[in-house]
Amino acid sequence: MRFVLLVIKHFGGIEYAEVRFGPGLNVLYGPNDLGKSTLAAALRAVLLLPHGSSEAEKFVSWRGDFSPEVTLTFADADDRLWRVTKSFGGSRGSSFLESSKDGRDFLSEVKGREVDERLRKM
């Protein structure tokens, strides 16, 4: 699995962030309180936490009543692109997994709890 793009909205102290990953090793660095740990928490959340997890309560935006949302686009060993989007927030939460062969047109694969099951298999 190779990360391609991470998009974060209303996640902790991050109102909006878009991180493009290059080939090979990617390193996040910078001064304290810049959001590096929040980026890592967002990656963990989108890959490992169910959208209704109570653990997601700590990710609620500092700037309002918004549901934290994370979208991660990644490529598998066959260079097929996958995009997982999770909006956290109990009953308001949602999960979607889409795939693409060309990186432009994404097709819905699964949604809801099936997303976590499919990610575990990947």
Side-chain angles (χ1 to χ4, degrees):
M1 179 184 300
R2 177 179 51 84
F3 296 159
V4 176
L5 175 66
L6 177 67
V7 178
I8 301 169
K9 298 176 187 173
H10 312 296
F11 194 94
I14 297 176
E15 194 62 27
Y16 180 84
E18 189 172 302
V19 179
R20 293 193 180 279
F21 295 93
L25 179 66
N26 289 259
V27 178
L28 298 173
Y29 69 95
N32 290 341
D33 292 328
L34 197 59
K36 301 177 300 292
S37 296
T38 304
L39 288 173
L43 271 171
R44 178 185 177 274
V46 76
L47 289 171
L48 301 174
L49 288 182
H51 64 260
S53 172
S54 62
E55 190 175 333
E57 291 175 11
K58 62 184 170 187
F59 305 137
V60 173
S61 176
W62 297 354
R63 295 178 182 85
D65 187 26
F66 302 104
S67 294
E69 184 177 305
V70 182
T71 300
L72 175 64
T73 304
F74 60 92
D76 64 16
D78 298 324
D79 275 337
R80 183 180 185 115
L81 291 174
W82 296 88
R83 182 167 61 195
V84 59
T85 301
K86 289 189 181 177
S87 177
F88 298 94
S91 62
R92 297 186 319 188
S94 60
S95 297
F96 299 94
L97 182 64
E98 304 165 295
S99 67
S100 174
K101 292 181 181 179
D102 62 10
R104 289 187 316 267
D105 300 316
F106 282 83
L107 301 171
S108 179
E109 293 284 336
V110 293
K111 61 183 177 180
R113 294 177 189 227
E114 294 177 46
V115 171
D116 295 311
E117 184 178 326
R118 181 75 71 89
L119 287 173
R120 278 190 296 275
K121 291 178 182 177
M122 294 176 148

